[in-house]
């Protein structure tokens, strides 16, 4: 009887698209094809939204207004001219000049919609000189996605996030810095709770911190209109990615007029942010010349950060932009916890100024770009006792001015994509609950060996202002209480049983061969 074929596992939209994108390998550099795919997904989504709005206008009996831009912009929909619509692209997908047509479409969309200024790839597809058949196949795959099918599921946002993550993994070490893994961003959001006010990211990459902040507000029934977003990004292509990533989700943001270096050209000099979330480049070298930025107001009250490593320049940039009750959560390489020289002097002053609230050392292999060990810092401009209502929940903060919470998360996390680690939802809940209990009165926070410890300022002074968590968190010596005699007897018993089982198996195997007439003689 013929064997029944196993049912074919259906592929998700993300997997299908990823396979199509991979077909571009060889004709397009790996660092480039994310811009190809994400640019096309953006165009498809904008076009689907346009068509949906157009049908609404017709259904309302206002057909004569279907080409009035205002009828689209009032509903946050981009108006698309004929040559920038997806249907036009698909009808010409097999033409030799399809790359030029896509460039023209993207140029026209951006030109007609000021909020997209500087967001879309500029003359990009023509320059890549892609194989027309492969580009056409990718267009066909994207054409099969109904981006409006299930609005609750945010299909486009999901595809975008999946692709940014996959591209970051594909590009590997030294690249992929445009993306901070989702579970880290989720953890920062749960810790600093960005419900209301201004959010700022000084090295915003593809805008992931902002996207997750909005998801955090959604998941806790907050109001996204209570938030305004400010960011800055140096790399031109990543700046465009961020603008597309936010536009596709309907998130408005001020990322500055152009991509620019946060230190050399601060695009938000007067900003006071309520929440800062950041993952700046690790151990960035030569970020300023010796005679540059010496009098920058962002270092006011502190030593000028050294030229060889920008870690403390990033910290002081963020400190200078914190509002009266502002909180910052950001990632830095572990070296910043105990650096000497000017780093020591700045760190000492940050601690004495009661700005450092918590230091969390993270597991390795969380990042796709590096396997170095990193730390999550929480700075808080107001650690005084106060009562606050956050998203309809009253919080009674105790005075924590001369305390810092240290957490060791190196044993947390679950495997992800074979060689990486990510925080599970349970990990994030456990960590954030511990932190919030520590902050508040009448909460049952307790120091836990190998996990968390609340250190006072005197202890930190005695450790010469080191912020290395292992200097404070209690280490459990599990070998200390082991009875050697009992342990050896236990091992003896285990090995004895193992050897007996092995002998029994050997005898049974020899008997099988003997009964078959093929006796094995040892």
């Amino acid at each position: 009887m013929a064997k029944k074929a196993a049912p074919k596992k259906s592929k998700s939209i993300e997997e299908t698209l990823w396979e199509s994108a991979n077909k571009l390998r060889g004709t397009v550099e790996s660092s480039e094809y994310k811009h190809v795919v994400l640019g096309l997904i953006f165009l498809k989504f904008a076009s689907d939204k346009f068509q949906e709005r157009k049908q609404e206008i017709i259904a309302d009996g206002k057909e004569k207004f279907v080409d009035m831009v205002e009828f689209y912009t009032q509903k946050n929909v981009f108006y698309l001219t004929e040559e920038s619509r997806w249907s036009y692209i698909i009808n010409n997908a097999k033409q030799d000049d399809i790359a030029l047509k896509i460039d023209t479409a993207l140029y026209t969309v951006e030109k007609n919609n000021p909020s997209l200024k500087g967001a879309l790839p500029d003359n990009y597809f023509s320059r890549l000189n892609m194989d027309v058949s492969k580009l056409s196949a990718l267009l066909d795959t994207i054409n099969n996605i109904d981006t409006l099918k299930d609005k609750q599921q945010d299909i486009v946002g999901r595809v975008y996030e999946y692709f940014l993550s996959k591209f970051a993994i594909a590009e590997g070490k030294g690249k992929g810095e445009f993306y901070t893994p989702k579970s880290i961003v989720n953890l920062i959001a749960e810790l600093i709770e960005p419900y209301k006010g201004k959010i700022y990211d000084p090295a915003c990459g593809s805008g992931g911190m902002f996207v997750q902040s909005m998801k955090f507000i959604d998941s806790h029934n907050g109001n996204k209109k209570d938030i305004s977003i400010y960011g800055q990004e140096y790399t031109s292509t990543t700046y465009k990615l961020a603008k597309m990533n936010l536009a596709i989700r309907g998130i408005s943001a001020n990322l500055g007029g152009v991509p620019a270096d946060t230190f050399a050209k601060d695009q938000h000099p007067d900003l006071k942010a309520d929440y800062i979330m950041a993952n700046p480049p690790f151990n960035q070298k030569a970020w300023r010349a010796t005679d540059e930025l010496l009098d920058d107001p962002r270092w006011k009250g502190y030593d000028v950060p050294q030229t060889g490593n920008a870690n403390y320049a990033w910290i002081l940039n963020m400190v200078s932009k914190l509002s009266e009750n502002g909180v910052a959560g950001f990632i830095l390489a572990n070296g910043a916890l105990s650096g000497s020289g000017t780093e020591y002097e700045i760190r000492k002053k940050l601690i004495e100024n009661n700005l450092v609230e918590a230091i969390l050392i993270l597991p390795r292999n969380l990042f796709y770009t590096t396997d170095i060990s990193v730390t999550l810092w929480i700075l808080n401009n107001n650690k005084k006792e106060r009562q606050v209502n956050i998203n309809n929940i009253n919080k009674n903060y105790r005075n924590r001015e001369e305390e810092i919470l240290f957490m060791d998360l190196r044993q947390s996390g679950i495997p992800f994509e074979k060689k990486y680690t990510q925080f599970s939802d349970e990990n994030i809940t456990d960590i954030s609950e511990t932190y919030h209990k520590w902050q508040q009165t009448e909460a049952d926070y307790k120091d836990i060996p190998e996990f968390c410890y609340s250190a006072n300022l005197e202890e930190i002074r005695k450790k010469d202002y080191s912020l290395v968590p292992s200097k404070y968190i209690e280490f459990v010596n599990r070998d200390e209480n082991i009875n050697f005699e009992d342990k050896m007897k236990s091992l003896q018993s285990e090995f004895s049983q193992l050897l007996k089982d092995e002998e029994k198996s050997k005898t049974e195997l020899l008997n099988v061969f003997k009964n078959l007439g093929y006796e094995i003689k040892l």
Side-chain angles (χ1 to χ4, degrees):
M1 200 171 108
K3 218 175 176 180
K4 264 190 176 177
K8 224 176 180 179
K9 191 185 168 191
S10 61
K11 289 177 185 167
S12 66
I13 292 170
E14 293 96 321
E15 288 171 317
T16 307
L17 265 173
W18 182 249
E19 284 178 10
S20 297
N22 267 332
K23 287 176 187 167
L24 292 175
R25 282 176 188 266
T27 56
V28 181
E29 289 289 325
S30 62
S31 59
E32 299 275 9
Y33 67 81
K34 66 173 172 292
H35 302 295
V36 173
V37 177
L38 295 175
L40 292 175
I41 291 173
F42 175 85
L43 200 55
K44 174 70 164 64
F45 175 68
S47 199
D48 285 352
K49 290 273 284 182
F50 168 80
Q51 290 298 344
E52 183 187 54
R53 178 65 188 141
K54 187 177 174 184
Q55 291 310 314
E56 282 174 5
I57 295 169
I58 293 169
D60 287 346
K62 298 173 180 170
E63 194 165 353
K64 60 182 177 181
F65 300 118
V66 291
D67 282 319
M68 280 191 72
V69 177
E70 293 77 11
F71 274 71
Y72 295 86
T73 51
Q74 68 185 206
K75 295 283 184 182
N76 292 322
V77 174
F78 301 122
Y79 177 78
L80 306 183
T81 55
E82 181 67 33
E83 71 272 26
S84 55
R85 293 172 196 168
W86 186 257
S87 54
Y88 178 81
I89 298 295
I90 285 298
N91 288 338
N92 291 280
K94 300 200 169 34
Q95 303 296 320
D96 288 342
D97 64 347
I98 182 59
L100 179 62
K101 285 188 163 63
I102 295 170
D103 280 333
T104 305
L106 289 168
Y107 170 78
T108 311
V109 176
E110 186 174 311
K111 187 179 140 196
N112 291 334
N113 296 279
S115 65
L116 286 173
K117 190 182 175 192
L120 303 182
D122 178 20
N123 196 24
Y124 194 76
F125 288 79
S126 306
R127 279 188 280 125
L128 291 175
N129 197 23
M130 281 180 286
D131 182 299
V132 171
S133 63
K134 288 182 178 174
L135 179 56
S136 175
L138 177 62
L139 288 168
D140 280 344
T141 306
I142 293 174
N143 191 43
N144 289 328
I145 304 174
D146 181 354
T147 63
L148 308 178
K149 187 178 175 186
D150 186 349
K151 290 179 182 174
Q152 297 303 314
Q153 287 294 317
D154 181 19
I155 287 177
V156 172
R158 205 180 77 194
V159 168
Y160 230 80
E161 195 168 289
Y162 176 86
F163 265 59
L164 287 172
S165 152
K166 292 289 276 186
F167 284 129
I169 293 171
E171 291 185 21
K173 286 184 183 177
K175 296 180 180 174
E177 287 182 343
F178 52 84
Y179 183 79
T180 304
K182 191 172 71 172
S183 77
I184 299 177
V185 187
N186 286 347
L187 175 62
I188 297 175
E190 290 290 341
L191 291 170
I192 72 171
E193 300 182 302
Y195 279 111
K196 191 174 185 178
K198 296 174 182 172
I199 301 180
Y200 169 61
D201 182 347
C204 70
S206 54
M209 294 286 184
F210 305 134
V211 171
Q212 292 305 324
S213 296
M214 290 301 174
K215 285 188 178 177
F216 169 84
I217 293 167
D218 258 348
S219 65
H220 292 76
N221 301 314
N223 187 350
K224 290 192 281 190
K225 290 180 180 170
D226 289 340
I227 285 290
S228 48
I229 286 173
Y230 297 81
Q232 183 155 351
E233 171 56 39
Y234 176 61
T235 309
S236 173
T237 49
T238 308
Y239 173 83
K240 288 177 187 290
L241 268 184
K243 292 200 93 169
M244 277 195 288
N245 194 11
L246 298 175
I248 218 162
R249 297 161 194 269
I251 300 172
S252 60
N254 180 348
L255 304 185
V258 291
D261 182 339
T262 302
F263 298 124
K265 189 178 179 183
D266 182 2
Q267 305 232 35
H268 308 290
D270 302 319
L271 176 68
K272 290 294 177 189
D274 302 291
Y275 306 97
I276 298 178
M277 304 170 75
N279 170 28
F282 297 139
N283 300 321
Q284 184 182 353
K285 294 179 172 58
W287 61 279
R288 69 172 176 90
T290 312
D291 58 349
E292 282 179 347
L293 298 171
L294 297 176
D295 299 322
D296 195 286
R298 287 171 288 184
W299 334 134
K300 190 179 176 184
Y302 295 88
D303 286 17
V304 178
Q306 59 150 315
T307 55
N309 190 315
N311 285 341
Y312 276 81
W314 285 111
I315 293 176
L316 291 185
N317 174 71
M318 289 186 267
V319 167
S320 73
K321 294 187 187 303
L322 280 176
S323 69
E324 188 183 354
N325 297 315
V327 188
F330 54 89
I331 307 291
L332 285 181
N334 285 355
L337 299 173
S338 58
S340 56
T342 54
E343 294 197 344
Y344 169 84
E345 295 299 333
I346 296 170
R347 186 172 63 252
K348 179 180 173 181
K349 200 163 258 186
L350 290 169
I351 294 168
E352 289 288 350
N353 287 347
N354 292 317
L355 277 164
V356 183
E357 168 127 285
I359 297 290
L360 295 77
I361 192 159
L362 305 186
R364 296 188 77 132
N365 299 319
L366 281 170
F367 284 86
Y368 312 140
T369 53
T370 176
D371 59 359
I372 66 168
S373 190
V374 298
T375 314
L376 167 56
W377 292 54
I378 306 286
L379 301 186
N380 193 334
N381 222 7
N382 186 359
K383 293 164 70 178
K384 290 179 180 163
E385 181 178 348
R386 62 190 179 118
Q387 291 185 332
V388 182
N389 185 286
I390 299 179
N391 202 33
N392 297 321
I393 296 173
N394 289 321
K395 295 213 171 189
N396 296 312
Y397 290 121
R398 64 187 185 83
N399 188 338
R400 312 166 313 279
E401 283 199 302
E402 298 199 347
E403 293 177 36
I404 296 176
L405 177 67
F406 290 94
M407 298 186 76
D408 186 342
L409 311 180
R410 287 176 295 178
Q411 301 305 316
S412 302
I414 55 174
F416 173 66
E417 294 272 355
K418 294 181 185 171
K419 59 179 181 176
Y420 301 108
T421 301
Q422 68 176 10
F423 290 118
S424 65
D425 291 344
E426 290 74 22
N427 290 147
I428 292 173
T429 301
D430 188 30
I431 296 161
S432 56
E433 279 186 0
T434 301
Y435 170 69
H436 294 306
K437 280 180 183 174
W438 173 81
Q439 286 184 306
Q440 295 176 72
T441 56
E442 300 167 6
D444 57 344
Y445 166 83
K446 284 180 186 166
D447 292 335
I448 299 172
E450 297 186 338
F451 180 56
C452 61
Y453 182 78
S454 177
N456 62 45
L457 187 54
E458 205 47 50
E459 289 174 276
I460 295 162
R461 286 178 182 141
K462 283 180 184 169
K463 304 285 185 189
D464 201 17
Y465 299 96
S466 169
L467 290 177
V468 175
S470 60
K471 286 183 181 282
Y472 303 93
I473 298 172
E474 185 185 347
F475 171 73
V476 178
N477 185 353
R478 293 188 174 79
D479 296 335
E480 178 176 73
N481 299 319
I482 291 175
N483 183 304
F484 183 78
E485 185 66 20
D486 289 348
K487 186 68 184 174
M488 286 309 294
K489 281 185 178 172
S490 165
L491 285 172
Q492 181 188 35
S493 170
E494 281 178 34
F495 274 96
S496 171
Q497 188 59 48
L498 275 173
L499 292 171
K500 281 178 190 170
D501 290 346
E502 186 190 7
E503 188 60 34
K504 187 181 169 193
S505 296
K506 181 179 160 188
T507 305
E508 286 173 356
L509 185 66
L510 289 173
N511 284 338
V512 167
F513 273 86
K514 188 177 178 182
N515 292 336
L516 290 170
Y518 296 93
E519 184 177 5
I520 297 172
K521 292 186 178 174
L522 300 175

